[in-house]
Amino acid sequence: MRIVICDTPDKVATYACEYVIKSINDFKPTADRPFVLGLPTGGTPLKTYQKLIIAFREGRVSFKNVVTFNMDEYVGLPQDHPESYHYFMRHNFFDYIDIPEQNRHILNGNAPDLIEECRQYEEKIKAVGGIHLFLAGIGTDGHIAFNEPGSSLYSRTRVKSLNKETIESNARFFDNDPSRVPTMALTVGLRTIMEAQVVMMIATGASKALAVSKCVEGSITHMCTATMLQMHPSAVLCLDDDATLELKVRTARYFKNLLLSEKNLEERQANVKRLSAKL
Ligand code: PGA
């Protein structure tokens, strides 16, 4: 697990945005060989989406050959409801970039057969060859996507009941009225996420600090499903200072120093390259 600690939420968004841009551009996607990106919704990734839109307008990235799969969607909320994840994605990202309509995938929480909908979603991910980069957030209860405490760490896309903590946390998007928050959702599973080549989780603010500390320092447990990332061969956590408040000082310092030595090494390598080019 690689942990990047930034001073502010804005710097977290910049890091995530640049990471996505570099991943897409290094891959050099084409129509026949698209880059496959997993996407989250919620308050945390909003700034990252805004920065990606700016980068697109500046011509630094194109989403023409990018295929996206969203993590989750509420059950029973109309797609044009302002709190549906279909609406969120259109109004916060898709409407402002060049991604073709047919390249976007979001679970349909109004499908007549929800189990079949989830099965087909897994099939679609498989058909494009899997997800290259999954961008994720973390819930205050440690969930990743809507894999609530007690979820099977071996789960795939399925229907989930939301727990009280998630409903209360998401009430902020529903006029602070928990009774208006849907109680069920469709979500990719832990196994779906674990099969992505890279998972990047972003977390900002003190409200995420406890979940982050469990995710980084705790044991792997289905009661905090983000801990599963400890088993991922290529997981990156990008945190602001507030999200590290419950980490041991020793842990935070360890990862900060690690980044510093990597930066120094990169600078030294760049210097050597510059000097040898002059010879
Ligand atoms: P948030 O949600 O970004 O709105 O805090 C994150 C999550 O629940 O996964």
Side-chain angles (χ1 to χ4, degrees):
M1 190 183 268
R2 183 186 163 87
I3 299 180
V4 179
I5 302 171
C6 304
D7 311 347
T8 62
D10 192 67
K11 286 187 183 160
V12 168
T14 302
Y15 187 91
C17 166
E18 295 304 322
Y19 196 97
V20 172
I21 294 173
K22 184 166 170 20
S23 304
I24 295 173
N25 289 344
D26 285 356
F27 188 82
K28 298 184 177 55
T30 61
D32 296 335
R33 190 177 156 273
F35 185 83
V36 186
L37 183 61
L39 294 174
T41 51
T44 317
L46 267 176
K47 269 203 168 103
T48 305
Y49 288 136
Q50 285 160 9
K51 287 178 189 279
L52 282 169
I53 292 167
I54 292 169
F56 162 69
R57 288 183 179 154
E58 290 169 350
R60 296 177 53 221
V61 66
S62 164
F63 297 87
K64 220 170 162 170
N65 294 316
V66 173
V67 169
T68 61
F69 286 90
N70 266 81
M71 303 195 115
D72 41 22
E73 176 58 290
Y74 289 116
V75 166
L77 214 54
Q79 287 185 4
D80 57 1
H81 186 289
E83 293 310 331
S84 86
Y85 293 165
H86 279 79
Y87 187 98
F88 177 101
M89 290 311 295
R90 266 202 316 276
H91 293 276
N92 290 303
F93 194 38
F94 291 154
D95 277 358
Y96 303 97
I97 57 170
D98 60 346
I99 185 165
E101 184 96 40
Q102 69 273 17
N103 287 15
R104 317 166 189 179
H105 300 90
I106 307 181
L107 284 152
N108 177 6
N110 295 297
D113 182 342
L114 294 175
I115 294 172
E116 179 57 16
E117 170 68 13
C118 294
R119 195 194 62 77
Q120 283 183 16
Y121 206 64
E122 288 280 339
E123 287 298 316
K124 286 178 201 162
I125 294 174
K126 214 157 120 194
V128 290
I131 292 172
H132 294 113
L133 169 63
F134 222 136
L135 206 58
I138 184 170
T140 51
D141 61 2
H143 69 212
I144 178 165
F146 272 137
N147 292 289
E148 297 286 49
S151 291
S152 161
L153 298 179
Y154 226 51
S155 52
R156 290 210 170 271
T157 305
R158 68 210 183 290
V159 187
K160 274 304 282 181
S161 305
L162 302 183
N163 83 8
K164 198 166 163 267
E165 190 168 334
T166 298
I167 290 175
E168 279 168 4
S169 166
N170 287 6
R172 71 199 135 122
F173 300 120
F174 291 84
D175 296 330
N176 290 317
D177 180 358
S179 72
R180 293 181 52 201
V181 182
T183 55
M184 293 214 307
L186 305 185
T187 179
V188 294
L190 269 310
R191 205 140 47 123
T192 327
I193 295 168
M194 290 296 285
E195 281 171 1
Q197 284 179 20
V198 180
V199 180
M200 172 181 261
M201 176 186 278
I202 52 176
T204 56
S207 67
K208 301 294 172 72
L210 204 56
V212 164
S213 75
K214 285 185 190 163
C215 174
V216 176
E217 294 169 334
S219 309
I220 295 171
T221 167
H222 65 166
M223 293 311 286
C224 176
T225 54
T227 56
M228 194 58 184
L229 291 185
Q230 293 175 24
M231 295 285 286
H232 195 283
S234 201
V236 186
L237 256 67
C238 188
L239 314 169
D240 74 342
D241 274 333
D242 283 351
T244 68
L245 282 174
E246 297 285 345
L247 284 181
K248 292 191 181 87
V249 173
R250 178 193 292 263
T251 308
R253 198 173 291 167
Y254 170 76
F255 283 106
K256 273 188 173 166
N257 284 342
L258 211 61
L259 276 184
L260 222 55
S261 15
E262 274 178 20
K263 210 168 151 234
N264 288 342
L265 186 69
E266 275 166 23
E267 276 167 14
R268 271 211 301 277
Q269 279 170 344
N271 274 343
V272 170
K273 238 184 177 167
R274 244 196 327 272
L275 286 174
S276 34
K278 278 189 185 161
L279 291 175

